[in-house]
Amino acid sequence: MSVRVNNRISSLPPSPTMTVSARAAEMRRQGIDVLSFAAGEPDFPTPAHVVDAAIAAMRAGKTTYTAAVGLVELREAICRRLRAEIGVSFTPAEVVVSPGAKYALFAAFQVLLERGDEVIIPAPYWVSFPEQVRLADGVPVIVDCPAETGFALDPEALRAAITERTRVIVLNSPGNPTGAVYSRQALESVLDVVRGHRGQPLWVLSDETYSRLVFDGAEHFSPAQIAPDLRDQILIASSLSKTYAMTGWRVGFLAAPKDVITAIGTLQSHSNSNVNTIAQWAAIAALDGDQTVVESMREAFSERRKIVLELLAAVPGFSCGAPSGAFYVFPSTRGVMDSSLEMARILLEEARVAVVPGDAFGAPGHLRISYATSLANLRTGIERIRQAVENLARR
Ligand code: PLP
Protein backbone atom coordinates (compact mmCIF):
# COMPACT_ATOMS: atom_id res chain seq x y z
CA MET A 1 0.00 0.00 0.00
CA SER A 2 1.44 3.40 -0.94
CA VAL A 3 1.57 6.28 1.49
CA ARG A 4 -0.42 9.36 0.40
CA VAL A 5 -0.98 12.89 1.61
CA ASN A 6 -4.59 13.88 2.27
CA ASN A 7 -6.98 15.23 -0.38
CA ARG A 8 -6.82 18.78 0.92
CA ILE A 9 -3.13 19.02 0.10
CA SER A 10 -2.95 16.66 -2.87
CA SER A 11 -5.46 18.88 -4.69
CA LEU A 12 -3.43 22.01 -3.90
CA PRO A 13 -1.44 23.22 -6.90
CA PRO A 14 2.08 24.51 -6.17
CA SER A 15 2.46 28.30 -6.35
CA PRO A 16 2.65 29.04 -10.12
CA THR A 17 5.00 31.99 -9.64
CA MET A 18 7.43 29.81 -7.74
CA THR A 19 7.09 27.11 -10.42
CA VAL A 20 8.13 29.54 -13.18
CA SER A 21 11.08 30.79 -11.12
CA ALA A 22 12.14 27.19 -10.45
CA ARG A 23 11.95 26.32 -14.18
CA ALA A 24 14.10 29.38 -15.03
CA ALA A 25 16.63 28.40 -12.33
CA GLU A 26 16.71 24.86 -13.73
CA MET A 27 17.42 26.15 -17.26
CA ARG A 28 20.18 28.34 -15.85
CA ARG A 29 21.73 25.33 -14.16
CA GLN A 30 21.80 23.66 -17.57
CA GLY A 31 23.88 26.59 -18.80
CA ILE A 32 21.02 28.32 -20.68
CA ASP A 33 21.12 32.11 -20.42
CA VAL A 34 17.61 32.77 -19.04
CA LEU A 35 16.47 36.15 -17.78
CA SER A 36 13.79 35.90 -15.14
CA PHE A 37 11.07 38.53 -14.84
CA ALA A 38 9.08 36.18 -12.63
CA ALA A 39 10.43 37.29 -9.26
CA GLY A 40 8.14 38.73 -6.67
CA GLU A 41 10.94 40.22 -4.63
CA PRO A 42 13.21 43.26 -4.67
CA ASP A 43 16.68 42.59 -6.07
CA PHE A 44 18.27 44.93 -3.51
CA PRO A 45 20.15 43.76 -0.42
CA THR A 46 18.56 44.27 2.98
CA PRO A 47 19.77 47.68 4.29
CA ALA A 48 23.01 47.43 6.30
CA HIS A 49 21.59 48.91 9.52
CA VAL A 50 18.92 46.18 9.54
CA VAL A 51 21.52 43.44 9.12
CA ASP A 52 23.59 45.07 11.88
CA ALA A 53 20.60 45.04 14.22
CA ALA A 54 20.20 41.28 13.64
CA ILE A 55 23.86 40.67 14.42
CA ALA A 56 23.63 42.83 17.53
CA ALA A 57 20.54 40.89 18.67
CA MET A 58 22.37 37.60 18.30
CA ARG A 59 25.42 38.91 20.16
CA ALA A 60 23.19 40.21 22.94
CA GLY A 61 21.67 36.76 23.35
CA LYS A 62 18.23 37.76 22.07
CA THR A 63 17.82 34.27 20.69
CA THR A 64 14.98 32.75 22.70
CA TYR A 65 11.26 32.32 21.97
CA THR A 66 9.04 35.39 22.00
CA ALA A 67 5.29 35.69 22.60
CA ALA A 68 3.37 33.94 19.80
CA VAL A 69 1.96 37.31 18.70
CA GLY A 70 5.49 38.76 18.48
CA LEU A 71 7.71 41.02 20.57
CA VAL A 72 5.79 43.88 22.13
CA GLU A 73 8.64 46.19 21.04
CA LEU A 74 8.04 45.17 17.43
CA ARG A 75 4.28 45.50 17.70
CA GLU A 76 4.81 49.00 19.10
CA ALA A 77 7.11 49.83 16.18
CA ILE A 78 4.44 48.56 13.75
CA CYS A 79 1.86 50.79 15.45
CA ARG A 80 4.19 53.80 15.09
CA ARG A 81 4.71 53.07 11.40
CA LEU A 82 1.00 52.58 10.69
CA ARG A 83 0.32 55.88 12.44
CA ALA A 84 3.00 57.59 10.33
CA GLU A 85 1.93 55.99 7.04
CA ILE A 86 -1.86 55.92 7.19
CA GLY A 87 -2.58 58.10 10.21
CA VAL A 88 -4.47 55.38 12.08
CA SER A 89 -3.71 54.48 15.71
CA PHE A 90 -3.49 50.83 16.72
CA THR A 91 -2.44 49.37 20.07
CA PRO A 92 0.03 46.45 20.27
CA ALA A 93 -2.93 44.24 21.29
CA GLU A 94 -4.36 44.89 17.82
CA VAL A 95 -1.23 43.66 16.02
CA VAL A 96 0.17 40.18 15.44
CA VAL A 97 3.58 39.48 13.90
CA SER A 98 3.55 36.56 11.46
CA PRO A 99 6.03 34.81 9.16
CA GLY A 100 5.38 37.16 6.25
CA ALA A 101 2.10 38.69 5.15
CA LYS A 102 1.50 35.30 3.51
CA TYR A 103 1.06 33.56 6.86
CA ALA A 104 -0.80 36.55 8.34
CA LEU A 105 -3.38 36.19 5.55
CA PHE A 106 -3.50 32.41 5.89
CA ALA A 107 -4.06 32.77 9.63
CA ALA A 108 -6.75 35.41 9.10
CA PHE A 109 -8.78 33.08 6.87
CA GLN A 110 -8.26 30.26 9.39
CA VAL A 111 -9.78 32.27 12.22
CA LEU A 112 -12.52 34.09 10.27
CA LEU A 113 -14.11 31.38 8.15
CA GLU A 114 -16.55 28.61 8.92
CA ARG A 115 -16.90 25.78 6.39
CA GLY A 116 -18.68 27.05 3.26
CA ASP A 117 -18.22 30.76 4.02
CA GLU A 118 -17.61 32.80 0.88
CA VAL A 119 -14.73 35.18 0.30
CA ILE A 120 -14.91 37.71 -2.51
CA ILE A 121 -11.62 37.96 -4.37
CA PRO A 122 -11.22 40.51 -7.16
CA ALA A 123 -9.39 39.09 -10.21
CA PRO A 124 -6.60 39.42 -11.25
CA TYR A 125 -5.61 38.20 -7.79
CA TRP A 126 -2.45 37.21 -5.96
CA VAL A 127 -2.05 33.46 -6.46
CA SER A 128 -2.35 32.45 -2.81
CA PHE A 129 -5.69 34.11 -1.96
CA PRO A 130 -8.01 31.42 -3.39
CA GLU A 131 -5.86 28.55 -2.11
CA GLN A 132 -5.69 30.01 1.38
CA VAL A 133 -9.47 30.40 1.42
CA ARG A 134 -9.88 26.76 0.35
CA LEU A 135 -7.42 25.63 3.03
CA ALA A 136 -9.74 27.27 5.57
CA ASP A 137 -12.73 25.35 4.07
CA GLY A 138 -14.02 28.59 2.57
CA VAL A 139 -15.28 29.20 -0.95
CA PRO A 140 -13.46 31.76 -3.12
CA VAL A 141 -15.87 33.89 -5.16
CA ILE A 142 -13.92 35.48 -7.98
CA VAL A 143 -15.10 38.84 -9.33
CA ASP A 144 -13.52 39.92 -12.61
CA CYS A 145 -12.02 43.40 -12.69
CA PRO A 146 -11.01 44.10 -16.29
CA ALA A 147 -8.06 46.20 -17.44
CA GLU A 148 -10.49 48.69 -19.05
CA THR A 149 -11.67 49.75 -15.58
CA GLY A 150 -8.19 49.88 -14.10
CA PHE A 151 -8.45 46.40 -12.50
CA ALA A 152 -10.44 47.96 -9.63
CA LEU A 153 -13.44 46.24 -8.05
CA ASP A 154 -16.65 47.68 -9.47
CA PRO A 155 -19.12 48.44 -6.64
CA GLU A 156 -22.04 47.03 -8.63
CA ALA A 157 -20.16 43.80 -9.38
CA LEU A 158 -19.29 43.56 -5.69
CA ARG A 159 -22.90 44.08 -4.63
CA ALA A 160 -24.03 41.38 -7.07
CA ALA A 161 -21.46 38.91 -5.73
CA ILE A 162 -22.48 39.27 -2.07
CA THR A 163 -24.68 36.46 -0.72
CA GLU A 164 -25.74 35.54 2.79
CA ARG A 165 -22.64 33.32 3.01
CA THR A 166 -20.20 36.16 2.21
CA ARG A 167 -17.90 36.83 5.14
CA VAL A 168 -14.80 38.51 3.73
CA ILE A 169 -13.91 40.86 0.89
CA VAL A 170 -10.26 40.86 -0.11
CA LEU A 171 -8.64 44.06 -1.34
CA ASN A 172 -5.04 44.35 -2.49
CA SER A 173 -3.74 47.78 -3.36
CA PRO A 174 -1.16 48.27 -4.80
CA GLY A 175 -2.00 44.95 -6.39
CA ASN A 176 -0.08 41.89 -7.41
CA PRO A 177 -0.07 41.06 -10.36
CA THR A 178 -1.44 44.26 -11.91
CA GLY A 179 0.36 47.00 -9.96
CA ALA A 180 -3.02 48.77 -9.86
CA VAL A 181 -3.61 51.25 -7.04
CA TYR A 182 -7.12 52.07 -5.82
CA SER A 183 -7.86 55.78 -5.84
CA ARG A 184 -9.53 57.19 -2.73
CA GLN A 185 -12.78 57.41 -4.65
CA ALA A 186 -12.62 53.81 -5.91
CA LEU A 187 -11.94 52.57 -2.39
CA GLU A 188 -14.71 54.72 -0.93
CA SER A 189 -17.26 53.30 -3.35
CA VAL A 190 -16.29 49.74 -2.41
CA LEU A 191 -16.50 50.59 1.28
CA ASP A 192 -19.93 52.17 0.73
CA VAL A 193 -21.17 48.76 -0.40
CA VAL A 194 -19.72 47.17 2.76
CA ARG A 195 -21.32 49.88 4.91
CA GLY A 196 -24.69 49.52 3.21
CA HIS A 197 -24.76 45.73 3.52
CA ARG A 198 -27.55 44.43 5.74
CA GLY A 199 -27.17 41.17 7.64
CA GLN A 200 -24.00 39.77 9.14
CA PRO A 201 -21.24 42.41 8.89
CA LEU A 202 -18.59 41.78 6.27
CA TRP A 203 -14.86 41.72 6.95
CA VAL A 204 -12.57 43.73 4.68
CA LEU A 205 -9.16 42.10 4.45
CA SER A 206 -6.81 44.67 2.98
CA ASP A 207 -3.45 43.39 1.77
CA GLU A 208 -1.15 46.43 1.83
CA THR A 209 2.13 44.60 1.25
CA TYR A 210 3.17 47.04 -1.51
CA SER A 211 1.88 50.23 0.16
CA ARG A 212 5.23 52.06 -0.01
CA LEU A 213 5.73 51.33 -3.71
CA VAL A 214 3.62 53.90 -5.52
CA PHE A 215 4.68 56.02 -8.50
CA ASP A 216 3.89 59.09 -10.57
CA GLY A 217 2.31 60.92 -7.64
CA ALA A 218 -0.16 58.11 -6.87
CA GLU A 219 -1.13 57.74 -3.22
CA HIS A 220 -1.79 54.63 -1.20
CA PHE A 221 -5.02 54.62 0.82
CA SER A 222 -5.96 52.09 3.45
CA PRO A 223 -9.62 51.29 4.16
CA ALA A 224 -8.84 51.88 7.85
CA GLN A 225 -7.83 55.42 7.03
CA ILE A 226 -10.81 56.39 4.93
CA ALA A 227 -13.57 54.47 6.72
CA PRO A 228 -12.90 54.86 10.46
CA ASP A 229 -16.54 53.91 11.12
CA LEU A 230 -15.82 50.41 9.71
CA ARG A 231 -12.75 50.04 11.89
CA ASP A 232 -13.98 46.90 13.68
CA GLN A 233 -14.54 45.14 10.32
CA ILE A 234 -11.16 45.94 8.75
CA LEU A 235 -8.00 43.85 8.81
CA ILE A 236 -4.72 45.15 7.38
CA ALA A 237 -2.11 42.62 6.29
CA SER A 238 1.32 43.94 5.52
CA SER A 239 4.95 43.02 5.49
CA LEU A 240 8.53 44.17 5.63
CA SER A 241 9.38 41.94 2.65
CA LYS A 242 8.96 44.34 -0.25
CA THR A 243 9.39 47.66 1.59
CA TYR A 244 12.77 46.87 3.15
CA ALA A 245 14.03 44.14 0.76
CA MET A 246 13.55 41.56 3.51
CA THR A 247 11.69 38.73 1.77
CA GLY A 248 13.83 35.99 3.29
CA TRP A 249 13.54 37.30 6.84
CA ARG A 250 9.86 36.38 6.97
CA VAL A 251 8.36 39.24 8.93
CA GLY A 252 4.83 40.35 8.23
CA PHE A 253 1.91 41.41 10.34
CA LEU A 254 -1.82 41.83 10.67
CA ALA A 255 -3.50 44.81 12.32
CA ALA A 256 -7.09 44.00 13.26
CA PRO A 257 -9.62 44.01 16.09
CA LYS A 258 -8.20 42.53 19.28
CA ASP A 259 -10.29 39.33 19.23
CA VAL A 260 -8.97 38.38 15.79
CA ILE A 261 -5.40 39.03 16.93
CA THR A 262 -5.87 36.92 20.06
CA ALA A 263 -7.27 34.06 17.96
CA ILE A 264 -4.34 34.24 15.54
CA GLY A 265 -1.95 34.30 18.50
CA THR A 266 -3.49 31.04 19.69
CA LEU A 267 -3.22 29.53 16.20
CA GLN A 268 0.42 30.61 15.95
CA SER A 269 1.19 29.25 19.42
CA HIS A 270 0.32 25.81 18.05
CA SER A 271 1.79 26.19 14.55
CA ASN A 272 4.86 28.39 14.09
CA SER A 273 5.31 29.57 17.73
CA ASN A 274 6.80 32.93 16.77
CA VAL A 275 8.61 34.67 13.96
CA ASN A 276 12.38 34.17 14.22
CA THR A 277 13.39 36.34 17.17
CA ILE A 278 16.49 37.77 15.48
CA ALA A 279 14.42 38.80 12.47
CA GLN A 280 11.95 40.50 14.80
CA TRP A 281 14.70 42.68 16.33
CA ALA A 282 15.98 43.49 12.83
CA ALA A 283 12.43 44.44 11.84
CA ILE A 284 12.31 47.05 14.61
CA ALA A 285 15.47 48.62 13.18
CA ALA A 286 13.87 48.65 9.72
CA LEU A 287 10.60 50.22 10.87
CA ASP A 288 12.09 52.81 13.23
CA GLY A 289 15.32 53.47 11.32
CA ASP A 290 16.29 55.59 8.33
CA GLN A 291 13.43 55.55 5.80
CA THR A 292 15.49 57.12 3.01
CA VAL A 293 16.51 53.56 2.05
CA VAL A 294 12.88 52.87 1.22
CA GLU A 295 12.71 56.00 -0.89
CA SER A 296 15.91 55.14 -2.82
CA MET A 297 14.56 51.70 -3.70
CA ARG A 298 11.24 53.24 -4.72
CA GLU A 299 13.06 55.70 -6.99
CA ALA A 300 15.01 52.87 -8.62
CA PHE A 301 11.76 50.97 -9.25
CA SER A 302 10.18 54.12 -10.59
CA GLU A 303 12.94 54.58 -13.18
CA ARG A 304 12.74 50.94 -14.25
CA ARG A 305 8.97 51.13 -14.54
CA LYS A 306 9.23 54.09 -16.89
CA ILE A 307 11.74 52.30 -19.12
CA VAL A 308 9.84 49.00 -19.08
CA LEU A 309 6.67 50.78 -20.20
CA GLU A 310 8.56 52.51 -23.02
CA LEU A 311 10.14 49.25 -24.18
CA LEU A 312 6.89 47.30 -24.00
CA ALA A 313 5.13 49.92 -26.11
CA ALA A 314 7.40 48.76 -28.96
CA VAL A 315 6.28 45.11 -28.72
CA PRO A 316 3.65 44.55 -31.42
CA GLY A 317 0.39 43.11 -30.09
CA PHE A 318 1.14 43.87 -26.43
CA SER A 319 -1.04 46.42 -24.74
CA CYS A 320 -0.04 47.71 -21.34
CA GLY A 321 -1.54 50.35 -19.07
CA ALA A 322 0.73 52.27 -16.71
CA PRO A 323 0.22 50.73 -13.27
CA SER A 324 0.89 53.11 -10.38
CA GLY A 325 2.28 50.66 -7.84
CA ALA A 326 4.18 47.50 -6.84
CA PHE A 327 6.91 46.34 -9.25
CA TYR A 328 4.88 44.58 -11.91
CA VAL A 329 3.38 45.40 -15.27
CA PHE A 330 0.57 43.26 -16.61
CA PRO A 331 0.28 43.66 -20.39
CA SER A 332 -2.49 42.06 -22.38
CA THR A 333 -1.00 39.81 -25.05
CA ARG A 334 -4.23 39.00 -26.85
CA GLY A 335 -3.01 41.03 -29.79
CA VAL A 336 -0.45 38.26 -30.34
CA MET A 337 -2.34 35.15 -29.27
CA ASP A 338 -5.21 34.23 -26.96
CA SER A 339 -3.35 31.77 -24.76
CA SER A 340 -1.01 33.44 -22.31
CA LEU A 341 0.14 30.01 -21.14
CA GLU A 342 1.40 29.35 -24.66
CA MET A 343 2.81 32.87 -24.92
CA ALA A 344 4.79 32.43 -21.68
CA ARG A 345 6.02 29.03 -22.87
CA ILE A 346 7.25 30.48 -26.16
CA LEU A 347 8.97 33.36 -24.38
CA LEU A 348 10.75 30.98 -22.03
CA GLU A 349 11.83 28.48 -24.68
CA GLU A 350 12.57 30.87 -27.55
CA ALA A 351 13.36 34.25 -26.00
CA ARG A 352 14.78 32.72 -22.82
CA VAL A 353 12.76 35.13 -20.70
CA ALA A 354 10.68 33.87 -17.79
CA VAL A 355 7.37 35.65 -17.16
CA VAL A 356 4.24 34.42 -15.39
CA PRO A 357 1.10 33.80 -17.48
CA GLY A 358 -1.99 35.69 -16.35
CA ASP A 359 -3.84 32.38 -15.97
CA ALA A 360 -2.04 31.96 -12.63
CA PHE A 361 -3.79 35.10 -11.38
CA GLY A 362 -7.24 34.37 -12.78
CA ALA A 363 -6.59 36.66 -15.78
CA PRO A 364 -5.73 34.71 -18.93
CA GLY A 365 -4.53 36.77 -21.88
CA HIS A 366 -2.00 38.71 -19.82
CA LEU A 367 1.59 38.26 -18.69
CA ARG A 368 3.04 39.43 -15.40
CA ILE A 369 6.42 41.02 -15.86
CA SER A 370 8.32 41.90 -12.71
CA TYR A 371 10.77 44.76 -13.00
CA ALA A 372 12.53 43.85 -9.77
CA THR A 373 15.71 43.25 -11.74
CA SER A 374 18.49 45.37 -13.25
CA LEU A 375 17.87 47.86 -16.04
CA ALA A 376 20.38 45.97 -18.19
CA ASN A 377 18.39 42.73 -17.78
CA LEU A 378 15.15 44.54 -18.52
CA ARG A 379 16.53 46.11 -21.71
CA THR A 380 17.96 42.81 -22.97
CA GLY A 381 14.93 40.75 -21.95
CA ILE A 382 12.27 43.00 -23.44
CA GLU A 383 14.26 43.26 -26.66
CA ARG A 384 14.29 39.44 -26.77
CA ILE A 385 10.54 39.43 -26.18
CA ARG A 386 10.06 41.93 -29.01
CA GLN A 387 12.09 39.80 -31.40
CA ALA A 388 10.28 36.59 -30.43
CA VAL A 389 6.90 38.25 -30.98
CA GLU A 390 8.01 39.60 -34.38
CA ASN A 391 9.26 36.13 -35.37
CA LEU A 392 5.87 34.71 -34.43
CA ALA A 393 4.13 37.18 -36.70
CA ARG A 394 6.33 36.06 -39.60
CA ARG A 395 5.47 32.37 -39.22
N1 PLP B 1 0.54 39.67 -0.57
C1 PLP B 1 0.92 39.94 -1.83
C2 PLP B 1 -0.04 40.67 -2.70
C3 PLP B 1 2.15 39.50 -2.32
O1 PLP B 1 2.50 39.76 -3.58
C4 PLP B 1 3.00 38.79 -1.45
C5 PLP B 1 4.29 38.25 -1.93
O2 PLP B 1 4.55 38.07 -3.09
C6 PLP B 1 2.59 38.57 -0.14
C7 PLP B 1 1.36 39.02 0.27
C8 PLP B 1 3.43 37.82 0.85
O3 PLP B 1 4.61 38.45 1.16
P1 PLP B 1 5.44 38.01 2.43
O4 PLP B 1 4.89 36.71 2.93
O5 PLP B 1 6.85 37.87 1.98
O6 PLP B 1 5.26 39.10 3.44
Side-chain angles (χ1 to χ4, degrees), residues 17 40-41 98-105 125-129 172 174-177 207-210 237-242 246-248 250-253 327-328 368:
T17 44
E41 59 183 342
S98 297
K102 188 176 265 186
Y103 194 88
L105 291 157
Y125 48 74
W126 177 51
V127 291
S128 294
F129 289 135
N172 173 214
N176 176 3
D207 179 345
E208 304 180 15
T209 296
Y210 296 92
S238 195
S239 173
L240 280 78
S241 289
K242 322 283 174 171
M246 289 179 69
T247 49
R250 311 308 303 133
V251 190
F253 60 89
F327 40 63
Y328 310 105
R368 189 190 77 172

Side-chain angles (χ1 to χ4, degrees), residues 316-319 332-338 365 389:
F318 276 32
S319 126
S332 161
T333 54
R334 288 202 199 278
V336 184
M337 61 174 66
D338 278 340
V389 170

